[in-house]
Amino acid sequence: MTTPPVQPPVPQNPYAQPVPPQYTPHAAAHAGAPAYPQQYGQQQYAPPAPQPAPPMGYGPSCRLCGSVPAVEATIRGHQGFIVVMRFLKLRGPFCRRCGIAAHRDMTAKSMWQGWWGIGSMIINPITMLINLGQRSKINRLPEPIPGGPGTPMDPGKPIFRRPATLMLLVPVAAFALFATMIVVGAQSDPQYASVGECVHNSGSYSSPNMTVTDCSSSDADYEIVGKLDDTTDDSGCKAFARSTVSYYEEYGSSKYVLCLASKS
Ligand SMILES: [Zn+2]
C-alpha cells in the first residue's frame, strides 16, 4: 500500500472576489469563535490543562492526590498565643489516606499549639470534637484505588503515639495546679483551722497575715486555744484562760475570732 503524494497547494488569485461564507451546519457551529484572533494581537489563552478524569461512578476525587474514592470533609486546627488566636482549615475532598494524614497532622499540631490562651482552652477541644465528626466520614472510606494521578499521603503514626500528644497534659496539669492551690490555700487559711492547731503570723500586729502551720515548726507563733464563729467580738476569748492574743477575720458574711496563746 502506497501513500499518495501530498498535493501542492493550489495558487489562489489575490484579486478574486471573496466567496460569501456558506452557512453550512458545520460553519454555524463555529460562528461564535473569533474569526480573526490576530486582529486583536497574538494573545491566545491556553486552554485549561486537562484534569485527570476520575473513573466514573466514584464521586469526587481527593484534592491532594486525585485518588478515588474521596469524601467532602473539612479538617480544622487551632493555635492560641495568649491574645492572638489562629484558626486553620483544610478543605477536602480527601481520600482515606490523605484525610487521615491531614487529620492526624492538624490534631497533633493543635495538641501543642492550641492551648495558649483563655479562649483557646475552650476553643481547642471544640475544634477537636468537630474534627472527630469529619474524621468518621473519612474512616468510612475504603482504601484509595491504586493508579490515581498522585500518590496518597502516608497517614503516619496515630495521634496518641505522637509526642505532641503529651501537650494534651497541659490543660490537665493546669487544672491540677489550680485544684492544688485551692486545697493548699484552704489548708493554710486560718478560717478552716480548729482548736489545737497553730498559726504563723508573717505580717505584723497592725496588719497580720495568719497561715496555719504545724505546731512543731519553728514558724508556729500561736496555738489556737479557742475559736468563736459568726462574730468579730473577741470578748469571748476571756473564757479561754491561756488566750493572750485574739485575731478576727471578716470575709463577706463569714466572720470568726481565733483566741490565741503565744508559743514563745
Ligand atoms: Zn488523597
Side-chain angles (χ1 to χ4, degrees), residues 46-81:
Q51 295 289 321
M56 296 303 289
Y58 287 108
S61 56
C62 176
R63 200 171 69 78
L64 301 175
C65 74
S67 295
V68 291
V71 71
E72 293 286 354
T74 303
I75 306 288
R76 287 156 215 271
H78 184 71
Q79 295 177 318
F81 300 105

Side-chain angles (χ1 to χ4, degrees), residues 16-214:
Q17 290 296 312
V19 178
Q22 306 229 334
Y23 291 95
T24 61
H26 180 79
H30 290 86
Y36 303 107
Q38 54 273 60
Q39 193 177 334
Y40 303 101
Q42 295 296 329
Q43 286 185 337
Q44 292 262 0
Y45 292 98
Q51 295 289 321
M56 296 303 289
Y58 287 108
S61 56
C62 176
R63 200 171 69 78
L64 301 175
C65 74
S67 295
V68 291
V71 71
E72 293 286 354
T74 303
I75 306 288
R76 287 156 215 271
H78 184 71
Q79 295 177 318
F81 300 105
I82 313 299
V83 290
V84 180
M85 292 194 284
R86 288 188 189 145
F87 300 83
L88 319 166
K89 206 187 225 182
L90 184 58
R91 282 203 182 86
F94 300 111
C95 71
R96 180 185 168 84
R97 293 180 72 85
C98 293
I100 292 176
H103 176 245
R104 285 178 177 169
D105 281 354
M106 283 283 230
T107 306
K109 282 194 183 106
S110 302
M111 288 273 187
W112 66 274
Q113 295 175 335
W115 303 109
W116 310 104
I118 299 294
S120 296
M121 286 262 188
I122 299 157
I123 291 166
N124 204 26
I126 294 173
T127 305
M128 290 182 183
L129 276 178
I130 295 172
N131 275 351
L132 276 185
Q134 300 293 296
R135 172 66 190 270
S136 72
K137 286 203 285 185
I138 293 164
N139 279 359
R140 287 198 286 272
L141 285 173
E143 285 289 320
I145 293 171
T151 309
M153 290 167 73
D154 178 7
K157 281 189 196 170
I159 294 159
F160 285 95
R161 281 175 37 210
R162 297 182 185 211
T165 306
L166 289 177
M167 298 308 282
L168 189 63
L169 297 176
V170 166
V172 176
F175 179 79
L177 183 68
F178 184 66
T180 306
M181 281 166 65
I182 288 178
V183 170
V184 168
Q187 281 175 342
S188 63
D189 189 335
Q191 184 181 354
Y192 305 106
S194 47
V195 172
E197 292 189 282
C198 294
V199 288
H200 166 63
N201 182 15
S202 59
S204 63
Y205 273 106
S206 54
S207 109
N209 180 22
M210 296 290 193
T211 48
V212 177
T213 311
D214 191 84

